[in-house]
Amino acid sequence: MKKIETIHAVGHVLCHDVTQIIKDQSKGPIFRKGHVVTAEDIPVLLSIGKEHLFVWEQEEGMLHENEAAKILCDICKGDGMEESEAKEGKIELTAAKDGLLKVDRKHLMAVNSLGELMIAVRHGDLPVKAGEKLAGTRVIPLVIQEEKMQRAREVAGEKPLLTILPFQKKKVGIVTTGNEVFSGRIQDTFGPVILEKLSEYRAEILGQTITDDDKGHITSAILEFIHKGAELVFCTGGMSVDPDDCTPGAIRDTGARVISYGAPVLPGAMLLLSYYEKEGKTVPIVGLPGCVMYAKRTVFDLILPRLFADDEISGEELAALGEGGLCLDCPVCTFPNCGFGKGRILG
């Protein structure tokens, strides 16, 4: 940095905060480090006794913090996002549409590992709404080597680090199993819970079929919904390992590709996730554990947004939910603004 007369400072970048003190009223910075001095600022600076200023002495190959923050913002920004103006070397991204936020965690880690710069983002694989904050970017020093910012571009890869996948309209079938419900001895209480969860998305309910515990009947009910055009099928009941719980086997018998029977999430350990594929069509078939019927938040809340965004879930991703997979059943639930389901793999 260099010291110059304030009257010659227009267009220069401050290297320090400039504080104004008004007796019995206020004390604080009127210009922040990184501020670009304008002609209108000169009388204000002189009025507080600042006849000299320390400003950034531009060097070839160096970038100001605002320029560098813009590069980081561009690295992150996908479609459906809006950026703020650069302020004190920081730019924020907000969602311009609803959808599922995806984060390229591997490349985000690579950029943040370079040092002297940072990108902070919210957790991915969860829903976001238009207007919500997604990320903040900045560099740590006032100036940074242009070469380092070019390196950040390289390690980030060719695609944006953040993406918002739109939620799709889905035709949904529900298969409820259990002799006690089929015979009318007890009333089904699972279906209404599923319908309430689905009301948050663009779901067209094709119907709910109640079957007995015959494995063949369950398989037929699932396939019948798919024949009618279902793009999602949820099965309730019969998901434990008791000998008379036939739903997992019935799902397998459809020919679906089973991703996992079981998930390291409580509540929700007995989840079964599979994908039925035929003639270029992929239909998730999901066996829901009984806890979905009574627990406020379960594994169902973690996978449902991804199902409606056509974001296929891998077995590795389910396994990674183990860290953060324990719901603490807080007296006041703040999900998704809590640790539940935040375990993630780098990929």
Side-chain angles (χ1 to χ4, degrees), residues 7 80 157 272:
I7 58 175
L272 189 150

Side-chain angles (χ1 to χ4, degrees), residues 15-26:
C15 289
H16 56 94
D17 292 349
V18 176
T19 301
Q20 182 184 53
I21 302 174
I22 302 176
K23 187 177 183 299
D24 299 326
Q25 292 186 35
S26 64

